[in-house]
């Protein structure tokens, strides 16, 4: 199944969840999303989502020097980001329950 369209609807929540668990730099967030099962998520999608969430005030950022190359820009979640994650988590649960019920019953009354 091509999950590209599904990812677009939940990538914000997934990124917020990963960063909410632990601050991370772009590639680290991407790696954790893939390790969590979102194997088809693209690099550009994750980096774009991080920039957009930062611009919206859901994430904060700070730079950490690296001994292995250029400095890394880490992202952390803000209180607004935690509130957004909580809302999106509830919305996802409701949506997933609804779709599951439709798939199981075929929308029988």
């Amino acid at each position: 199944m091509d999950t590209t369209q599904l990812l677009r609807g939940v990538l914000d929540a997934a990124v917020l969840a990963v960063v909410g668990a632990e601050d991370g730099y772009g590639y680290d967030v991407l790696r954790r999303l893939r390790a969590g099962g979102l194997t088809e998520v693209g690099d550009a999608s994750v980096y774009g989502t991080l920039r957009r969430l930062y611009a919206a005030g859901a994430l904060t950022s700070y730079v950490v020097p690296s001994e292995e190359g250029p400095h890394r820009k880490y992202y952390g979640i803000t209180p607004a980001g935690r509130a957004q994650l909580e809302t999106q988590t509830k919305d996802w649960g409701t949506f997933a329950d609804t779709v599951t019920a439709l798939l199981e019953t075929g929308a029988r009354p």
Side-chain angles (χ1 to χ4, degrees):
M1 174 179 174
D2 180 14
T3 59
T4 306
Q5 294 300 321
L6 294 172
L7 276 173
R8 287 185 188 168
V10 298
L11 191 54
D12 283 11
V15 167
L16 287 170
V18 166
V19 175
E22 181 181 356
D23 292 1
Y25 55 94
Y27 183 74
D28 178 52
V29 172
L30 175 66
R31 181 189 54 74
R32 288 192 277 156
L33 288 167
R34 288 180 176 166
L38 298 181
T39 57
E40 296 181 26
V41 69
D43 299 21
S45 296
V46 172
Y47 287 104
T49 299
L50 286 167
R51 284 190 299 273
R52 191 169 30 75
L53 290 170
Y54 174 77
L59 297 177
T60 186
S61 71
Y62 56 95
V63 175
V64 175
S66 173
E67 295 178 11
E68 301 172 3
H71 66 276
R72 292 183 174 150
K73 185 176 188 177
Y74 276 74
Y75 292 91
I77 196 166
T78 65
R82 288 206 185 278
Q84 180 179 338
L85 176 57
E86 184 177 329
T87 298
Q88 289 181 332
T89 299
K90 289 176 185 174
D91 291 347
W92 173 257
T94 300
F95 179 76
D97 290 346
T98 300
V99 172
T100 298
L102 284 170
L103 292 173
E104 291 174 351
T105 66
R108 288 187 300 255

